[in-house]
Amino acid sequence: MSAASSSVAADPDAAALKPLLGLIETVEANYAGDPPLRRDEVVKQAASGMVSSLDRYSEFLDQQKYKDLQEDTRGSFGGIGIEIGIVSGKLSVIAPIEGTPAFAAGLLGGDVIAFINGTPTDDMKIMDAVHRIKGPPGTKVVLTIQREGSPMRDVPLIRAIITPVNIRDTVLEASGIGYVAIHSFSEHTAENLYDALRRFKEGKLKGVILDLRSNPGGLLQEATRVVDLFLPGGVAIVSTEARDPAQRAKYYSSEKMEVPQFPLVVLVNEWSASGSEIVAGALKDHRRAIIMGRRTFGKASVQSITPVSIDKTQALRMTVARYYTPSHNEIHEVGIEPDVTLPASRYPPGMRRYFDESAFNRFAAEVLIAIGPAGAGTVWLDAGALKAGRLAPPGKGAAPEKVDGRIGVEFRRWADRQGWNETDEAWDELEDSVVEQVRIAVMRKVKGEESARRYAIEFDPQVRTAAALLTLSSSVPAAGRPR
Amino acid sequence: MRRDLAARGLLSACLLTGLLAASSAPALTDEELEPFLNAMAEIQRKYVDETKVDTATLLRKASEGVVNALDAESLVLDPAPPPGPAGPGFAIGVRGGLAHVIDVIEGGAAEAAGLKVGDHLLQVDGKDTGGEKRLEIERFLAGSAGSKVWLLWEDEDGTYREAQVERTATARPAWRRVVMPGAEFIQVFRLDEAAADQIRSDLASAPAAGGAVLDLRRCAGGDPDAAIALADALLPGGLEIVTGRGVNAKSEHRYEATRKSKPVGVPLVLLVGPGTRGAPEILAAALIHHRRALAVGKGTFGYAARQKDFALPSAGGRKLRLTVERFTAPSGICLTGTGVGAELSAGEALPRRIERELERTSLVGRLAERLFAAPPAAFDAAALQAGNLALSAQESKGKSVAERRGEFERAFQTAAEALVREAGLGVSRDTLEQARLTLISRVRVELAKRHKSPEDALVVRLREDPEAAMGLDLLRAVRRMSGAAQ
């Protein structure tokens, strides 16, 4: 199979192919299935079957899959700018993205999408809904929105170019630490990170947290560029090994202009994969960052995407290389062990149904309605503080922490009314997470999605631990080193 | 066999050559194969692991990809015989990629393990059934008698259950006649050509006044041609039996009943349910549509298609079994996915809560045992020894039928309550009241099973089976009405 393999494409081994061709022709001519299989579909299924024997990252991409994938990696597409999901069995808006047509039209998280261009969404699969909502920029889509307490209404939206946010940065208020989360590595990720680091420099921050949790990877090149920002010139970032010489490479950091440098903590978890592991692996090997969190996923392979049809609408995604960290550590199936392992940050299982039923958003909405626009009628929350996005007990002298206990009591009462009676034992386990989620939901209602996200980050125990480590280490040289 | 049918004039010669012969398609061109060939070349040149790219493996996987895209009845047949003749005692049907339990054999190991019709079989010896072909799953289940198989399934409440079950050989005939007073009662387990032929002659020779019950509830297979032949014998000429659709609209064929002097005229009741699958659904759909039979029970499984085996060149004797014809009922409904509905239902079963309580306490078995061992005075001790449950002569003396029935039920309730109390079974009085009639039936069946011959026990079981009883009642009513008309 060695010398002959290169000639297969030009002149396929007719004898070897014959059984497959016979099978395809027999199926096409005789199969009375529902739906019937057309010839091109049978060929596609043969290709899918062949590719499925390789590994789980290799896939034959038909027209639709290839199109979706191109959008995912291109970093932008035509759409209206909402995340959607199934909430309580109904297709719903999870959150609008700021600066998009959906945001401008006032769509909110929790809005139920009853129809898309007049088609009911009752039995619609989520991917089907996504395909109906997306489309060329400048074209129109009408969503029929049902919001709790309001009549159903049609919302016409003109599609625009949507660039999903793959990177978010903020400064943690409590600690003055910079925080950047990279959700996946796509075009411009490193550029956006560079901009964030510059902003942090202006703010004279003591350290930076790079959050790669649940980042599944993305473009290899972009991951190496991210590493490059943190390393001096000329050191190894990652190397790939492959059968195809074109895929064998060693990436080194570049000689470059000044990039702001900070003490760095990288947060990872069991869903940090591929590109995330390149970044964490290189920064760990060069001792440039402390890796915190959970052992990473362990996907150390590179896939290439090659169009295989004449019209370039079908493609093969296949694993062409494995990569190794600078110290040639095996990542495949092993993952990267953090320097500091943190407990898994999972919600207790009982939280699941509250999320599924959108309970926190609903509770927050009821609390805010109870308080009313005049700010009167509140018994357990300070209306003035609430307008500023803070939850505090009424009265000037009361300690803000006291409100946590009250949130718990009020939410549990409300949950009982919904018929979700929790035992005391179950409640003990849930209370902290519930209070946190109520706070986030109230923030979302009062100050919007962005503030809620920032609030959630501040509250995240792993982020807090990372920030504490950076704060502590920044104080060590000044305090501990003799002059 | 097809020749026989043709000789009977059922299938026209044109049909034989047109529909059933393997059609051939124009050969695939390089252009049509391009995406496949390019992908294969890319893999062989560049895929990271050299050990996975040999031509034979890739092409075998490609073939599997094609077969996996076909329905659950289309597959490549393994030339090796199945691993053994025994099984855990249940039948499955595959729909939507899920293996549905459609029949659980009475007294079998699966029944003892708590498997129920309507459950979803998820794993067999650790192998997932999801997306598998039906015959493949049946291969997992088969083995030698006495060997064990581990099952994982999901019950109707969504609870996962597992059990290690011993395989037993169950030799069920394709069909059997049960001698019931006043009517022919025919249980069909497999509607193949021989069975259809014998059932037809059996029905033809049955006294027209008596009528017949055709029990298709445990008939999960057979031959579409056999079903068509039996329907033909029962229907007047010219009526549509079923319509088959092949690979495209052009290959549609309407199967009609042949012109004949006199179709078999015996009044018919069909018993159907989720265990009725395939060929018997064709028969039921035709007879119900043309009002040739009444159907009692529940909706059928919903699958009717014809498969044909194709030789696969250079595949080591393996064959491709392919669905080549799908059937549409005379009502225009595609049988696959929809099935045939029963017109009459014998009522709801007990609530699951109560079923589980009866199961947990083995109440039926315990009651049968106790009544037999220590007959209460109200019951006829001699009858009990023969496996019958009846009021004693003393108790029934001078009482009307209604009074006797009341007396019988009271005596049964007393015996059941006494047992529950003494054995500390914790079954409430309410539950016993609600389940009383079902309990009486089941205890009768249990007593018959323990103390009667298998033939007699079967008669008792059918008499106590609400759907069978309803079928027999219907025939009795038909007899009375036709008698009144004469």
Side-chain angles (χ1 to χ4, degrees):
Chain A
M1 207 47 260
S2 49
S5 66
S6 59
S7 66
V8 165
D11 173 34
D13 185 351
L17 263 174
K18 219 173 163 187
L20 177 67
L21 300 188
L23 176 71
I24 294 175
E25 283 159 14
T26 307
V27 167
E28 195 208 351
N30 299 285
Y31 181 59
D34 186 22
L37 280 178
R38 290 203 323 270
R39 170 171 287 209
D40 59 332
E41 285 161 30
V42 188
V43 172
K44 235 185 275 176
Q45 295 295 346
S48 293
M50 171 173 67
V51 181
S52 72
S53 71
L54 302 175
D55 61 58
R56 59 183 152 148
Y57 306 112
S58 299
E59 191 183 10
F60 186 80
L61 304 166
D62 62 15
Q63 285 87 343
Q64 187 61 58
K65 281 184 183 159
Y66 189 32
K67 216 172 124 202
D68 288 351
L69 187 100
Q70 283 170 319
E71 276 171 8
D72 284 355
T73 47
R74 196 188 300 127
S76 64
F77 55 87
I80 59 168
I82 43 171
E83 286 173 45
I84 58 173
I86 306 287
V87 177
S88 310
K90 291 187 177 130
L91 185 72
S92 307
V93 177
I94 303 293
I97 301 166
E98 277 178 39
T100 63
F103 193 84
L107 295 191
L108 294 178
D111 286 352
V112 171
I113 305 170
F115 297 86
I116 301 171
N117 284 335
T119 308
T121 60
D122 302 340
D123 298 317
M124 208 179 269
K125 296 240 166 61
I126 194 110
M127 279 317 289
D128 187 18
V130 167
H131 288 141
R132 285 167 189 270
I133 293 173
K134 280 182 178 179
T139 56
K140 191 165 94 169
V141 58
V142 180
L143 301 188
T144 307
I145 294 293
Q146 190 158 32
R147 184 174 296 172
E148 212 162 291
S150 317
M152 215 183 261
R153 68 193 171 102
D154 284 347
V155 181
L157 296 142
I158 306 296
R159 296 185 181 100
I161 300 270
I162 306 296
T163 308
V165 185
N166 282 318
I167 175 164
R168 282 176 198 281
D169 66 278
T170 182
V171 175
L172 302 179
E173 263 176 47
S175 51
I177 299 288
Y179 170 92
V180 199
I182 299 177
H183 304 305
S184 78
F185 298 95
S186 57
E187 284 172 33
H188 312 304
T189 297
E191 200 182 309
N192 293 341
L193 176 60
Y194 177 71
D195 292 344
L197 294 174
R198 298 254 316 245
R199 283 196 291 278
F200 291 160
K201 197 72 197 175
E202 281 161 22
K204 299 189 178 5
L205 301 186
K206 289 173 282 186
V208 167
I209 298 167
L210 182 62
D211 190 348
L212 301 178
R213 289 176 301 174
S214 302
N215 177 335
L219 302 175
L220 170 75
Q221 288 282 354
E222 210 57 30
T224 66
R225 284 190 195 121
V226 164
V227 178
D228 191 23
L229 289 175
F230 296 104
L231 293 179
V235 301
I237 293 174
V238 68
S239 62
T240 59
E241 293 181 6
R243 281 170 64 222
D244 177 13
Q247 297 291 344
R248 280 178 221 142
K250 274 197 160 70
Y251 293 85
Y252 292 93
S253 59
S254 58
E255 298 297 337
K256 56 202 161 275
M257 307 217 302
E258 181 74 2
V259 178
Q261 295 298 324
F262 301 90
L264 192 62
V265 169
V266 175
L267 278 179
V268 292
N269 66 6
E270 45 278 70
W271 304 110
S272 304
S274 193
S276 299
E277 294 175 299
I278 290 181
V279 174
L283 297 179
K284 186 186 176 193
D285 279 9
H286 291 299
R287 299 179 175 277
R288 175 60 189 86
I290 297 291
I291 315 298
M292 283 183 112
R294 314 285 297 169
R295 189 213 301 242
T296 60
F297 187 83
K299 174 191 176 282
S301 57
V302 181
Q303 283 72 35
S304 74
I305 293 156
T306 319
V308 289
S309 59
I310 301 174
D311 58 4
K312 296 198 189 305
T313 57
Q314 299 175 59
L316 171 71
R317 175 170 61 187
M318 137 181 96
T319 304
V320 288
R322 296 236 160 83
Y323 60 71
Y324 296 86
T325 70
S327 354
H328 210 271
N329 281 334
E330 182 71 53
I331 302 173
H332 192 62
E333 304 285 316
V334 180
I336 293 192
E337 193 69 46
D339 298 305
V340 181
T341 299
L342 299 177
S345 72
R346 287 222 181 85
Y347 294 112
M351 288 289 280
R352 183 61 200 260
R353 65 173 177 194
Y354 293 130
F355 282 122
D356 284 351
E357 299 289 329
S358 224
F360 305 112
N361 286 335
R362 282 162 53 196
F363 175 68
E366 284 188 26
V367 167
L368 294 173
I369 289 165
I371 288 171
T378 165
V379 281
W380 60 280
L381 276 181
D382 186 89
L386 194 64
K387 277 194 196 117
R390 286 186 299 112
L391 291 170
K396 282 247 173 326
E401 306 86 60
K402 285 242 171 102
V403 83
D404 279 356
R406 193 60 196 265
I407 291 174
V409 171
E410 292 292 334
F411 182 86
R412 194 176 175 190
R413 241 179 238 165
W414 179 84
D416 283 350
R417 282 202 300 276
Q418 317 294 317
W420 293 320
N421 303 295
E422 299 283 2
T423 62
D424 288 347
E425 203 175 74
W427 180 251
D428 281 349
E429 204 181 80
L430 291 176
E431 184 164 5
D432 287 351
S433 308
V434 164
V435 170
E436 175 192 327
Q437 288 302 318
V438 169
R439 283 177 164 280
I440 292 169
V442 168
M443 190 65 71
R444 182 178 294 126
K445 292 275 177 216
V446 178
K447 304 203 84 177
E449 192 57 40
E450 197 52 39
S451 303
R453 279 212 175 96
R454 281 178 50 185
Y455 195 85
I457 292 165
E458 290 260 359
F459 219 102
D460 184 318
Q462 296 190 339
V463 172
R464 284 184 165 191
T465 310
L469 180 80
L470 285 165
T471 307
L472 181 68
S473 60
S474 73
S475 69
V476 169
R481 194 187 303 152
R483 279 176 176 268
Chain B
M1 172 217 64
R2 295 204 201 296
R3 249 195 323 273
D4 296 348
L5 287 173
R8 277 200 231 121
L10 245 174
L11 299 173
S12 65
C14 118
L15 166 67
L16 276 174
T17 52
L19 183 67
L20 300 172
S23 325
S24 60
L28 285 151
T29 63
D30 279 1
E31 199 173 308
E32 286 167 325
L33 273 175
E34 165 125 31
F36 178 84
L37 294 176
N38 280 342
M40 185 161 158
E42 276 287 305
I43 290 168
Q44 295 200 314
R45 266 204 300 271
K46 299 180 183 170
Y47 183 70
V48 70
D49 184 348
E50 200 170 3
T51 65
K52 287 189 170 176
V53 302
D54 70 283
T55 307
T57 308
L58 291 179
L59 290 176
R60 185 166 49 80
K61 288 290 176 182
S63 297
E64 283 176 22
V66 172
V67 175
N68 286 340
L70 308 175
D71 67 13
E73 300 295 325
S74 299
L75 75 167
V76 173
L77 293 171
D78 198 326
F90 62 94
I92 54 162
V94 174
R95 187 168 47 212
L98 263 182
H100 298 253
V101 175
I102 62 170
D103 184 19
V104 180
I105 292 174
E106 280 169 352
E111 188 193 54
L115 196 75
K116 299 233 179 337
V117 170
D119 291 351
H120 296 153
L121 180 67
L122 302 176
Q123 282 187 355
V124 179
D125 283 336
K127 288 188 285 273
D128 283 331
T129 60
E132 278 291 346
K133 309 289 184 181
R134 180 177 60 88
L135 285 176
E136 284 299 324
I137 301 171
E138 286 181 358
R139 231 184 146 80
F140 299 163
L141 290 170
S144 54
S147 63
K148 298 238 167 78
V149 58
W150 178 85
L151 307 173
L152 174 73
W153 70 94
E154 184 182 12
D155 71 13
E156 271 183 349
D157 299 337
T159 310
Y160 283 17
R161 293 162 178 265
E162 56 175 306
Q164 179 113 9
V165 175
E166 191 174 306
R167 294 185 178 96
T168 45
T170 42
R172 267 205 307 210
W175 71 290
R176 70 180 168 204
R177 254 178 88 185
V178 186
V179 185
M180 298 291 285
E184 274 301 287
F185 194 101
I186 300 172
Q187 285 186 303
V188 190
F189 299 111
R190 205 184 147 68
L191 190 53
D192 57 20
E193 201 199 357
D197 218 30
Q198 294 193 46
I199 292 167
R200 185 185 50 81
S201 66
D202 204 41
L203 292 176
S205 62
V213 175
L214 214 49
D215 185 354
L216 303 173
R217 290 173 299 173
R218 291 163 175 260
C219 185
D223 176 355
D225 290 330
I228 292 168
L230 185 51
D232 178 46
L234 294 164
L235 289 171
L239 293 182
E240 178 189 348
I241 296 171
V242 75
T243 294
R245 187 162 300 161
V247 66
N248 54 38
K250 269 182 279 176
S251 52
E252 192 170 289
H253 179 79
R254 202 174 118 110
Y255 296 81
E256 282 178 7
T258 48
R259 308 273 165 201
K260 53 183 113 34
S261 54
K262 203 169 164 237
V264 175
V266 56
L268 269 183
V269 171
L270 305 179
L271 305 186
V272 293
T276 310
R277 177 189 166 285
E281 293 186 81
I282 296 175
L283 174 67
L287 298 185
I288 294 168
H289 182 78
H290 297 301
R291 308 198 171 277
R292 177 64 187 81
L294 278 169
V296 175
K298 302 181 189 72
T300 62
F301 177 78
Y303 181 84
R306 183 197 301 280
Q307 278 78 35
K308 180 175 175 347
D309 293 351
F310 296 87
L312 287 178
S314 54
R318 296 189 311 161
K319 283 184 181 152
L320 173 67
R321 177 164 292 178
L322 204 57
T323 297
V324 293
E325 191 178 14
R326 278 178 297 142
F327 292 107
T328 303
S331 57
I333 286 167
C334 180
L335 286 170
T336 297
T338 314
V340 185
E343 297 147 298
L344 295 154
S345 155
E348 285 304 303
L350 286 176
R352 283 180 72 80
R353 177 183 61 79
I354 293 183
E355 278 294 354
R356 270 197 292 265
E357 225 174 324
L358 297 185
E359 215 170 283
R360 176 180 63 80
T361 54
S362 317
L363 193 57
V364 172
R366 281 169 191 260
L367 260 170
E369 206 169 285
R370 184 192 172 98
L371 288 170
F372 183 79
F379 293 108
D380 184 332
L384 266 168
Q385 295 313 301
N388 294 321
L389 190 59
L391 221 49
S392 69
Q394 185 138 23
E395 289 290 332
S396 30
K397 210 160 104 188
K399 287 181 179 139
S400 71
V401 172
E403 280 168 339
R404 274 191 299 223
R405 185 180 300 142
E407 202 57 49
F408 178 84
E409 288 185 19
R410 260 194 302 283
F412 186 87
Q413 179 83 9
T414 309
E417 279 173 18
L419 173 73
V420 165
R421 201 169 47 242
E422 283 160 36
L425 297 179
V427 180
S428 75
R429 226 193 136 113
D430 250 20
T431 302
L432 286 180
E433 293 255 356
Q434 211 178 328
R436 184 166 61 214
L437 293 181
T438 310
L439 266 178
I440 291 174
S441 271
R442 291 189 190 171
V443 167
R444 281 196 155 126
V445 171
E446 187 67 25
L447 280 167
K449 201 169 95 188
R450 291 172 186 222
H451 309 294
K452 283 179 185 288
S453 71
E455 294 76 28
D456 291 347
L458 178 59
V459 171
V460 172
R461 201 174 76 207
L462 292 174
R463 214 169 47 209
E464 298 296 334
D465 168 346
E467 288 171 352
M470 188 172 193
L472 293 168
D473 285 349
L474 285 167
L475 285 179
R476 211 164 292 136
V478 169
R479 255 199 320 273
R480 198 170 305 154
M481 280 191 291
S482 56
Q486 274 163 17

